[in-house]
Amino acid sequence: MVQIMSFKNILFFLALICSVTCKADNVTFMFAAGTIDAGTVKTRMENNISTLLTEINRAGNIGTDLNLDNISMEQGAKTRLIALWEDAHFICDKTTNISKCLNDFQGYQVRAIPITMKPLDSSYDQSLNRELTISLNKNGIITGVRPAWELQEDVSKIMLSSNGVADTRQRREILKWVEDFRCYYNERNIKALNQIYSDDALIITGSVVTQREMHGDNQVHLEQKVNYNVQSKAQYISKLEKIFNINQRVNVEFDHISVVMHGAKENIYGVTLHQKWQTNSYSDEGWLFLLWDFNDPEKPQIHVRTWQPEQVVAKDGVFTLDDFFIP
């Protein structure tokens, strides 16, 4: 015989469901023993990361927006995470996470937190199993949240080719800053892009132009030639502003990263990346070369940015540090 539950039993049942769901969302983070001294900053960071991961699981499990109001996190970091969330949700795989505390120039970094991506549509073409990287300043405030690079073999090569402890830290910084650099485009953050390019930055973009040429056999041949357009920082930023104003969505993806330290100049690095660019009305793929200056570790700057189409790189190769004079 079917019995109707009393109102009190219904409330108890709903409360039980809520309790189980909330418990499933809760995530604890702790630093690996011996990687950071005990103290209020350590405790603050552990609590802060735990709260963030718990909120990510809550929102990821039910497919809703993130609520970052109660998380000690820089506004720029919140903006970048929300922009990332608009493309794909994710959840933290483990309810208890233990990770080393890595020192960087701005503060601390935590890597290798396992996450599972939950794409919002079929446009997502990367791995579902990823790792999360979290950066914090010296006060324990979160300054960046980003999935680690997809191609871990590239990252392994970058780190294994380092020349000592200082270079290892520098390369870790580069990986962090390059990912933030990518996010600046996705956020259409013209202010951040204006800051990260040096005032004398050299911007070079290459395009393939098909020309009709008459040869000696009186036959018309289609010849492909490369035109390189050189811009100043002011010209490039002005063009970007117009692109950002016209397009509601700008999606930039990087892969196949390599990093080379300059042989004679300290804190100068060449970074090569494969880039996919997509806006409402335009898309392309090509290769970026970035000449980074880390002499001011708090504010690294890009002195050179080049872009070359796929077919140009296949024929002539990508730009490198050797192509530019550094005074």
Side-chain angles (χ1 to χ4, degrees), residues 79-80 82-88 123 179-190 193 197 236-237 239-254 275-284 288 305:
T79 301
R80 289 191 294 277
I82 290 171
L84 172 65
W85 199 257
E86 289 177 353
D87 289 329
S123 64
E179 184 57 26
D180 284 346
F181 172 67
R182 181 191 70 84
C183 291
Y184 294 157
Y185 284 92
N186 292 350
E187 298 164 17
R188 297 177 294 169
N189 189 340
I190 203 70
L193 287 166
Y197 283 106
Y236 179 68
I237 293 297
K239 182 179 178 181
L240 270 184
E241 282 186 302
K242 293 177 182 178
I243 293 172
F244 290 168
N245 289 334
I246 293 172
N247 294 279
Q248 294 181 342
R249 177 181 173 84
V250 176
N251 185 43
V252 177
E253 296 179 13
F254 291 156
Q275 174 185 269
K276 296 179 182 178
W277 172 285
Q278 186 173 27
T279 66
N280 298 52
S281 57
Y282 175 79
S283 65
D284 63 38
L288 282 183
R305 177 193 185 273

Side-chain angles (χ1 to χ4, degrees), residues 38 100 111 119 146 157 202 219 223 239 247 268 296:
K100 293 180 180 178
R111 303 183 69 85
R146 58 191 74 79
K157 289 178 182 177
L202 178 65
Q219 296 292 319
E223 300 284 346
K239 182 179 178 181
N247 294 279
I268 301 295
D296 182 353

Side-chain angles (χ1 to χ4, degrees), residues 24-42:
D25 288 337
N26 285 341
V27 181
T28 301
F29 174 83
M30 294 178 291
F31 286 112
T35 62
I36 182 173
D37 293 335
T40 53
V41 174
K42 172 182 178 290

